[in-house]
Amino acid sequence: MNSLSNSDLILNIEDLHMTFDAELFKTVSLKDRFVRTLTLQGKQVSALHVLKGLNLKLEQGDKIGILGVNGSGKTTLCRLIAGILVPTSGSIALNGECRSIFNTTIGVIPELTGRENAALLVKFIFPRESLAVQAQLLEDALDFSELNEFLDIPFQNYSKGMQARICLSVISAKECDLLILDEVFDGADLFFQEKMRIRISDIIERSGATILVSHSLDQIRSVCNKVLVLDAGKIQFFGDVEKGIKAYRFLDNGLASFRGEL
Amino acid sequence: MANKLEFRQFWQQVMALTSANMRSRYRNTIAGFLWVVLNPLIMYSVQSFVFRKFLKIEVPNYSLFLLCGLLPWIFVVMSIDMITPVLDSSRELLKSFNISPFVLALAQVFDNFINFLFAFFLVLIPTWGMSDLSFTGIFFIPLALIFLVSGVIGMCFLLSVMQIFFKDVRFITSFVINILFFMTPIFYPVEYVPAEYRFLISYNPIFAMIEPFRYCIYDYDFNVLVFKLFKSGVVSVSFVAIAIIFWKRKRNEFFIKL
């Protein structure tokens, strides 16, 4: 991953391709592999081309909602930007720090208490902050979660809603240059969802740029100022929110008819 | 690369997770921690009794001889047993946040290593002190420990990554370890092995990392010890290198397979 010189440009993706071998999902044990070798079954190369030549620029203040059917490459794209995956070819240049979250009901060590898990999450989500700032972020997140006396019971005994409260409170404790939220709004109860929506909106406003993956069109409308529609590994639309949502709805009927409407 | 952590930040994550692992494992109880010392002591007592009284193995200072091999062996085996499934059982965590799998594996190795050091200093050093053997080899123990822990880190990380690709790595490893226990001269001296079978011992990588402890503590000989340390270092560096190469080649497939 490279860095950028233009200070307004947060992310620059050029000709991004991501391919992996479909065989990965076939051999599940060494025993299988051994039998296949013995029976001279050669390796069949069947590449899955998940992302096909993507180009994308994000600037300061961009709030992008990514829409696409399951398997269109949304999460793969987010993982590539977050630096978890390495592209097969092409380049991803990032200006600043990227923070990404893909699930909000997960404990680092579920046997430990909510408080201890929150402390570990702070270490993993804000590793670059000083110990004093990490302690402050933890205190703020625990206060915001309003779990009070429940903080000292094991995380594994929490309901999904309580687990989401811990994770979301930590995630939303501090802004960053590029924030990636992949279907993370679900889980918390209604009252807390509203409280969290306000806090996350505030963090998004203060962050450089945001990428939000969600199937909720209302969330996309309320948070984003641009929409990117992915289909079969290609960007089918990038721009205005309402037009993007329309393009997404046309995926079933074929984008050609949508382009006709435009 | 803007997202890469500095060593200090990476280290803070490892230490925080090691400490959390230990709290989870012992649930803040003294009894839990005592088990760390009791476990190798019970293993050692049973083996020492059986091999001395039943099998009549005649080795001077047999208790010390056995401890020199048994404690590092228990560290290696427990690490393999605990760390091979660690990434597999942390799939959801690895998919949810940008956490290095290496942090998860390393924290488990350090958890085990701290236990090993406690057992080492509370059981082995006093037994050594009570014997009439030379203490000169003690200066080489830190080097033997570094090679041992580095080799175990490389080996266990490799196995834990492989476990994501092949669901039976854990069972095969466990099977191989059971066989290796009898093929590794821990409870019997290497001299008991007939010359034509010694090659089996020479190619045993786990024994290569354990053997220097015996030459530091039980059978100190500077020249032999230097050679054994060199061999241990080569094995350790090889494990680390293989783990790094495997990870670099399989990193993408690892995260896709999660």
Side-chain angles (χ1 to χ4, degrees):
Chain A
M1 201 175 284
N2 310 312
S3 50
L4 296 163
S5 51
N6 181 347
S7 61
D8 273 351
L9 201 56
I10 301 273
L11 178 73
N12 187 17
I13 296 177
E14 287 180 349
D15 196 25
L16 182 71
H17 287 266
M18 187 63 188
T19 309
F20 56 82
D21 186 0
E23 281 287 292
L24 260 181
F25 301 101
K26 290 185 185 166
T27 308
V28 290
S29 68
L30 280 173
K31 207 167 55 192
D32 286 348
R33 175 62 68 88
F34 182 67
V35 170
R36 290 176 65 164
T37 309
L38 275 188
T39 52
L40 301 175
Q41 291 179 39
K43 196 180 171 191
Q44 295 165 348
V45 179
S46 50
L48 288 177
H49 209 154
V50 185
L51 296 175
K52 301 164 183 168
L54 265 58
N55 291 290
L56 180 67
K57 279 185 169 63
L58 293 195
E59 292 184 347
Q60 194 83 24
D62 277 346
K63 286 167 262 181
I64 312 296
I66 302 186
L67 291 170
V69 294
N70 292 332
S72 55
K74 303 186 295 289
T75 299
T76 303
L77 174 61
C78 291
R79 293 213 158 111
L80 282 160
I81 296 170
I84 297 172
L85 294 173
V86 179
T88 310
S89 68
S91 69
I92 301 173
L94 178 68
N95 195 1
E97 188 184 349
C98 171
R99 193 170 303 138
S100 56
I101 294 99
F102 298 88
N103 183 353
T104 54
T105 54
I106 191 87
V108 181
I109 303 179
E111 296 81 11
L112 293 180
T113 64
R115 188 189 302 277
E116 289 170 309
N117 272 285
L120 285 171
L121 281 179
V122 167
K123 282 265 181 259
F124 288 127
I125 297 175
F126 306 104
R128 288 173 185 80
E129 304 299 339
S130 67
L131 294 177
V133 172
Q134 284 179 354
Q136 185 59 46
L137 291 171
L138 175 63
E139 197 178 324
D140 169 63
L142 294 178
D143 277 352
F144 185 80
S145 74
E146 293 182 5
L147 285 170
N148 304 325
E149 68 274 17
F150 291 103
L151 285 170
D152 293 313
I153 65 169
F155 187 85
Q156 63 190 3
N157 297 117
Y158 283 11
S159 65
K160 286 273 179 202
M162 290 162 84
Q163 291 177 343
R165 277 192 185 208
I166 288 274
C167 293
L168 286 168
S169 301
V170 172
I171 290 159
S172 56
K174 196 174 189 298
E175 71 281 2
C176 65
D177 300 302
L178 177 60
L179 187 61
I180 300 175
L181 304 169
D182 189 338
E183 297 182 38
V184 297
F185 278 92
D186 308 329
D189 54 75
L190 275 179
F191 163 73
F192 197 73
Q193 256 187 17
E194 180 54 19
K195 190 181 166 192
M196 182 50 70
R197 192 191 59 76
I198 295 167
R199 175 154 144 135
I200 290 199
S201 297
D202 180 49
I203 289 295
I204 287 173
E205 284 306 321
R206 286 191 281 129
S207 292
T210 303
I211 295 175
L212 174 71
V213 178
S214 175
H215 288 290
S216 161
L217 300 179
D218 287 341
Q219 258 169 26
I220 298 276
R221 279 194 183 97
S222 69
V223 172
C224 304
N225 55 16
K226 283 180 186 169
V227 157
L228 184 153
V229 180
L230 263 184
D231 186 44
K234 287 184 178 169
I235 295 178
Q236 301 293 357
F237 179 87
F238 181 54
D240 178 73
V241 174
E242 286 308 322
K243 284 181 182 167
I245 290 174
K246 207 168 184 180
Y248 173 58
R249 285 188 167 141
F250 269 82
L251 280 180
D252 273 347
N253 306 326
L255 278 159
S257 54
F258 166 72
R259 290 197 181 103
E261 283 217 351
L262 283 181
Chain B
M1 185 160 149
N3 271 338
K4 202 160 189 173
L5 293 183
E6 288 173 14
F7 179 76
R8 183 181 57 82
Q9 296 158 347
F10 172 83
W11 189 247
Q12 278 179 5
Q13 287 189 345
V14 173
M15 286 299 103
L17 194 56
T18 304
S19 149
N21 277 337
M22 294 186 80
R23 278 202 306 280
S24 158
R25 201 158 129 188
Y26 308 124
R27 298 176 199 282
N28 297 318
T29 61
I30 299 282
F33 195 70
L34 269 181
W35 180 243
V36 172
V37 180
L38 281 178
N39 180 18
L41 257 184
I42 293 168
M43 288 269 288
Y44 151 74
S45 308
V46 172
Q47 289 195 14
S48 176
F49 179 74
V50 169
F51 294 125
R52 259 196 316 198
K53 303 290 178 190
F54 297 179
L55 296 176
K56 311 277 185 209
I57 288 182
E58 287 187 12
V59 174
N61 280 315
Y62 184 69
S63 305
L64 192 60
F65 170 84
L66 183 60
L67 274 175
C68 295
L70 191 63
L71 287 184
W73 172 265
I74 291 174
F75 165 61
V76 174
V77 171
M78 281 188 74
S79 297
I80 291 173
D81 189 45
M82 283 175 64
I83 294 144
T84 303
V86 82
L87 301 182
D88 196 17
S89 57
S90 305
R91 278 173 188 265
E92 285 308 313
L93 184 64
L94 288 164
K95 283 200 284 189
S96 306
F97 304 103
N98 193 356
I99 297 174
S100 163
F102 192 50
V103 170
L104 300 182
L106 206 54
Q108 286 282 2
V109 175
F110 284 151
D111 177 0
N112 269 332
F113 189 60
I114 291 166
N115 296 342
F116 165 68
L117 286 182
F118 267 95
F120 195 87
F121 286 106
L122 291 177
V123 181
L124 196 142
I125 299 290
T127 313
W128 189 7
M130 284 185 282
S131 73
D132 52 359
L133 295 174
S134 158
F135 250 68
T136 318
I138 201 165
F139 300 108
F140 295 95
I141 283 181
L143 201 54
L145 285 172
I146 289 169
F147 290 150
L148 177 71
V149 77
S150 309
V152 167
I153 288 168
M155 179 169 55
C156 291
F157 184 64
L158 181 67
L159 289 170
S160 63
V161 174
M162 284 179 72
Q163 176 70 34
I164 296 290
F165 292 93
F166 307 109
K167 64 183 181 187
D168 52 355
V169 166
R170 191 180 177 187
F171 305 113
I172 292 172
T173 309
S174 174
F175 176 72
V176 171
I177 291 287
N178 281 336
I179 294 173
L180 269 184
F181 178 70
F182 295 100
M183 305 286 284
T184 306
I186 293 168
F187 56 88
Y188 55 88
V190 70
E191 291 75 23
Y192 278 29
V193 181
E196 65 265 38
Y197 297 115
R198 290 264 173 95
F199 72 95
L200 290 172
I201 309 297
S202 322
Y203 293 120
N204 181 338
I206 296 181
F207 185 59
M209 293 189 292
I210 289 176
E211 204 178 12
F213 292 96
R214 191 159 282 168
Y215 287 96
C216 283
I217 297 166
Y218 181 79
D219 200 7
Y220 178 73
D221 178 322
F222 179 77
N223 292 327
V224 179
L225 178 59
V226 168
F227 173 69
K228 299 294 179 190
L229 279 170
F230 175 75
K231 193 174 166 187
S232 172
V234 169
V235 169
S236 173
V237 168
S238 304
F239 273 131
V240 172
I242 293 168
I244 291 172
I245 293 167
F246 188 76
W247 172 247
K248 289 204 163 176
R249 290 186 60 175
K250 296 287 181 184
R251 181 199 159 118
N252 265 1
E253 292 178 11
F254 171 87
F255 281 107
I256 289 162
K257 187 93 176 158
L258 274 179

